[in-house]
Amino acid sequence: MESQCALCAVSPSATAAASNLPSFLPEMILEKTDAVEVFAAGEKGRGLRTTKEMLAGEVVFSEAGFAAVVFDREQPDQEDWYSEMDSAGSYDPYLDDHRGDTDYGETEECSNISLQSDRGYDCEEEAPMEVEEYPHRDLPSHSDAKSSKSKEPAPPRELRPALTTAFPFLDYLTRYHLSCSLSMQVCHSCFRRQANLHRCAQCMFACYCDRTCQGAAWEEHKQECAAIKRLGKAPNENTRLVARILWHTQKHTGKVSDNQLTTLDLLEDHISDIAPEDLKELKVAVHNFLEYWPSNSKQYGVEYISHIFGVINCNAFTLSDQRGLQAVGVGIFPNLCLVNHDCWPNCTVILNHGNQTALDTAFHSQRRIELRALGMILEGEELTVSYVDFLNLSTERKQLLKKQYYFDCECEHCSHGIKDDLMMGTQEIGGKKPSADLVKEVANFSLQALSKIEQAHTERNFHEVVQICRECLEKQELLLADTHLYVLRVLRMISEVLSFQQQFQEAAEYARRMVDGYAKLYPPNNALLGMATMRAGVTNWHAGLIEVGHGMICKAYAILLITHGPHHPITKDLE
């Protein structure tokens, strides 16, 4: 990441490990090379700016991932409710549950998959042979793998924002973790989440939609498959991502393309800024990586391995599933790392999962990220994205950015505390503002209530969640504005729980209040606002308020058409 601290300067660890650096890095795909250029952005280091005018919704550039892996466990996100709802058949956040333009069951590849094979495929072969269905309810090796991985340090709590807004509102979202490993619910090739995946019968870890997805991922998975089988377990996502990065650099030699705007060895790792306790975790991570890394692969020094771990910590982007609701993986996109942060950005990033379903491979497309303009961008204007959710006070956003990305945000909204007054807004009582003591009392009550709500949610005591939310909203009524962060957090939780319980009439009212508050805080073309408006519209639709629901869905469609584009599964569903 570039913002405020020259993140793409050559790092000390990379310089010290120069003897271990690969001579070349693989070519990255940057489709619109004439649209952007690297420039010196002052204290920010380097940045990207446009070389021509961009319109709202236009793709500034797209980039294939340098390397990406599926998370090995659930991440804090908002998909959990909808996973439950889908499985219960009670509620669908979309009008349909499509998987984009993918039509499974009609292709020869899908029909030819062997579900009874125990043979798997040989890691030395050049092409995969068979995959095996993985029954989610029967996980003979899952508990062992989970316990064996418990000694490894957890990945960073916060990575770059999820592509297609996979887990907004991390600061207050309650967590509910599914018992099944996420790596068994997501295709390791296209990163789509679905049931009845087929796993690699050799390493028993990687899972795929079908033979086509497996074949597309074979080059990346071949060495990984052998390493997992040799170790007897799959390491955590950061270790697997480092390994894929190094295997990638070994395979792709030759002159770097002119489209390559930066390289991994030039990205800052910020190891010199890491706290002592985090340095201990880094040492454990490097040790675990060396246990995983095959002896017959090119060997790298500890400093360079540490550098790659540091680069991931500062520059990795989370990847979402096909519906944009859950973070399912993490990847490195070097050119995207040059895009600096702004709390009120002019661009957003989404994941295009590509299409591997056509019988003619000439029509296949790669998984890639897309940087999309949120409004008109003038020629020469710097491109920015937001690394954190805007729905935090400016002081809190600055703390998050400093902790994770090691820079002090000096954007206009942080410097002037823009919209902080709305986020802590109060209502007038009899034409007068409430006393500071009364506001403080209700704010403290709200914080305690939110903690209890999270605990009840974790315990799946949904009745208690609703009861506490109602008590909290009653306490906040006529005192805190609907743009107050604590009010919005309670409104969001109670609307989702009531929807889950199919109490749509009450849920619809809370959802409308929540979206009205969001609309006063978020930028007009914000993906999180669009997703929230979509869910609120569907809730109202289920409540029988067809006209209101239709109007909200139309508003959501207008936003997501810009943030996600007309061909994304979400916008196709709404269309």
Side-chain angles (χ1 to χ4, degrees):
M1 295 217 168
E2 283 286 324
S3 286
Q4 310 290 344
C5 54
L7 289 175
C8 283
V10 178
S11 68
S13 62
T15 304
S19 60
N20 292 309
L21 289 174
S23 301
F24 300 96
L25 288 175
E27 177 180 345
M28 298 298 300
I29 298 175
L30 187 61
E31 293 185 0
K32 289 194 173 182
T33 54
D34 62 333
V36 297
E37 64 181 4
V38 182
F39 76 106
E43 294 181 357
K44 297 180 181 181
R46 291 182 294 169
L48 283 186
R49 64 187 178 193
T50 59
T51 58
K52 62 181 182 181
E53 185 178 278
M54 294 286 173
L55 301 178
E58 188 171 355
V59 177
V60 181
F61 70 79
S62 65
E63 180 182 7
F66 189 94
V69 295
V70 171
F71 285 134
D72 61 312
R73 55 189 170 276
E74 289 285 342
Q75 301 296 305
D77 54 54
Q78 63 187 31
E79 170 70 5
D80 303 323
W81 290 111
Y82 302 115
S83 298
E84 286 272 323
M85 295 169 189
D86 289 345
S87 62
S90 59
Y91 178 67
D92 191 344
Y94 297 138
L95 302 181
D96 296 292
D97 185 16
H98 297 318
R99 299 181 59 219
D101 51 5
T102 305
D103 184 12
Y104 295 93
E106 298 297 327
T107 63
E108 181 181 353
E109 288 84 351
C110 189
S111 61
N112 286 342
I113 287 183
S114 173
L115 302 183
Q116 70 279 356
S117 169
D118 293 322
R119 177 163 53 90
Y121 57 86
D122 188 345
C123 290
E124 299 301 322
E125 297 180 9
E126 288 301 318
M129 296 294 292
E130 299 179 62
V131 290
E132 182 181 72
E133 185 175 15
Y134 197 96
H136 289 182
R137 60 184 179 276
D138 180 20
L139 309 178
S141 61
H142 177 55
S143 58
D144 295 338
K146 197 170 185 179
S147 62
S148 66
K149 287 186 285 186
S150 62
K151 296 181 180 179
E152 298 191 60
R157 283 193 64 185
E158 297 174 20
L159 296 165
R160 279 229 189 162
L163 307 182
T164 53
T165 64
F167 53 95
F169 321 123
L170 278 176
D171 55 331
Y172 62 84
L173 181 63
T174 54
R175 278 79 164 168
Y176 164 60
H177 299 283
L178 299 179
S179 60
C180 186
S181 170
L182 189 60
S183 65
M184 302 168 193
Q185 305 173 44
V186 177
C187 176
H188 289 218
S189 177
C190 67
F191 284 69
R192 289 179 170 91
R193 181 172 179 168
Q194 65 164 332
N196 301 320
L197 290 170
H198 310 284
R199 66 175 178 177
C200 168
Q202 191 76 351
C203 68
M204 309 295 284
F205 174 72
C207 297
Y208 303 102
C209 298
D210 51 35
R211 184 183 291 272
T212 304
C213 277
Q214 185 196 17
W218 175 241
E219 285 302 319
E220 281 191 310
H221 178 61
K222 181 165 56 174
Q223 292 170 295
E224 175 185 72
C225 183
I228 292 174
K229 186 180 179 183
R230 179 186 60 82
L231 189 64
K233 62 179 181 180
N236 70 15
E237 54 264 14
N238 282 2
T239 299
R240 288 184 285 116
L241 183 56
V242 170
R244 285 199 171 196
I245 288 171
L246 295 182
W247 281 321
H248 203 166
T249 61
Q250 289 179 18
K251 179 179 175 63
H252 295 268
T253 58
K255 185 178 179 180
V256 177
S257 167
D258 292 338
N259 295 340
Q260 181 75 41
L261 299 179
T262 189
T263 55
L264 296 188
D265 52 305
L266 295 180
L267 295 177
E268 179 58 77
D269 54 30
H270 279 291
I271 290 178
S272 60
D273 299 317
I274 295 178
E277 58 271 19
D278 294 330
L279 275 177
K280 292 180 181 178
E281 288 193 351
L282 176 61
K283 290 180 180 179
V284 174
V286 173
H287 172 76
N288 291 336
F289 172 82
L290 291 173
E291 285 188 340
Y292 173 66
W293 187 247
S295 59
N296 60 349
S297 294
K298 179 181 178 180
Q299 299 303 301
Y300 294 87
V302 170
E303 288 193 60
Y304 187 62
I305 297 171
S306 300
H307 167 68
I308 298 297
F309 271 106
V311 166
I312 291 172
N313 184 58
C314 297
N315 294 277
F317 271 85
T318 50
L319 309 178
S320 73
D321 63 5
Q322 71 274 22
R323 299 193 303 177
L325 286 174
Q326 177 170 24
V328 297
V330 58
I332 286 288
F333 303 85
N335 290 338
L336 187 61
C337 295
L338 295 170
V339 181
N340 287 322
H341 164 82
D342 195 293
C343 290
W344 201 264
N346 57 18
C347 291
T348 190
V349 185
I350 70 153
L351 176 65
N352 186 321
H353 290 80
N355 185 353
Q356 301 288 334
T357 63
L359 293 178
D360 187 346
T361 57
F363 295 100
H364 287 187
S365 58
Q366 283 185 292
R367 181 185 67 242
R368 61 195 182 277
I369 59 90
E370 294 177 350
L371 186 72
R372 305 184 70 91
L374 294 176
M376 178 176 287
I377 303 176
L378 300 178
E379 180 181 347
E381 185 177 346
E382 182 177 6
L383 301 169
T384 58
V385 296
S386 181
Y387 299 173
V388 297
D389 181 22
F390 182 72
L391 282 199
N392 291 283
L393 294 174
S394 57
T395 54
E396 295 172 348
R397 293 196 306 271
K398 288 171 71 74
Q399 290 173 359
L400 287 171
L401 291 165
K402 183 68 173 179
K403 180 180 180 181
Q404 181 65 28
Y405 305 111
Y406 307 99
F407 70 86
D408 296 307
C409 183
E410 298 176 355
C411 74
E412 181 181 5
H413 281 70
C414 280
S415 299
H416 298 93
I418 297 175
K419 301 215 173 187
D420 281 359
D421 56 339
L422 287 176
M423 294 183 189
M424 290 286 108
T426 59
Q427 300 187 52
E428 292 186 356
I429 303 177
K432 296 181 180 180
K433 289 287 186 180
S435 66
D437 289 340
L438 183 57
V439 172
K440 183 177 180 181
E441 177 187 341
V442 175
N444 289 336
F445 178 87
S446 300
L447 281 174
Q448 293 174 8
L450 286 166
S451 178
K452 294 177 182 177
I453 291 168
E454 180 170 357
Q455 180 63 31
H457 184 204
T458 302
E459 297 171 355
R460 304 186 65 191
N461 189 342
F462 301 144
H463 176 76
E464 185 176 353
V465 170
V466 172
Q467 182 178 349
I468 299 173
C469 285
R470 285 172 176 160
E471 292 175 358
C472 190
L473 289 172
E474 184 178 353
K475 190 84 171 179
Q476 295 169 340
E477 191 176 8
L478 301 179
L479 185 64
L480 302 184
D482 273 2
T483 56
H484 196 290
L485 292 180
Y486 299 161
V487 175
L488 290 173
R489 293 167 187 178
V490 178
L491 287 172
R492 179 180 181 277
M493 188 54 59
I494 192 172
S495 64
E496 290 187 348
V497 174
L498 288 172
S499 295
F500 173 64
Q501 295 178 330
Q502 300 189 43
Q503 300 182 42
F504 294 116
Q505 287 285 348
E506 188 178 359
E509 178 187 350
Y510 293 131
R512 289 196 301 271
R513 288 177 58 188
M514 176 190 69
V515 170
D516 287 344
Y518 286 173
K520 296 174 183 176
L521 297 175
Y522 277 123
N525 292 329
N526 179 275
L528 304 185
L529 174 61
M531 299 285 282
T533 305
M534 176 192 67
R535 292 191 298 272
V538 175
T539 300
N540 277 267
W541 189 288
H542 279 274
L545 304 172
I546 305 301
E547 186 175 348
V548 175
H550 180 264
M552 299 184 80
I553 290 173
C554 288
K555 289 181 180 179
Y557 179 73
I559 296 172
L560 298 175
L561 197 61
I562 291 174
T563 60
H564 290 63
H567 303 297
H568 194 278
I570 294 175
T571 47
K572 282 192 172 185
D573 284 345
L574 293 180
E575 185 178 14

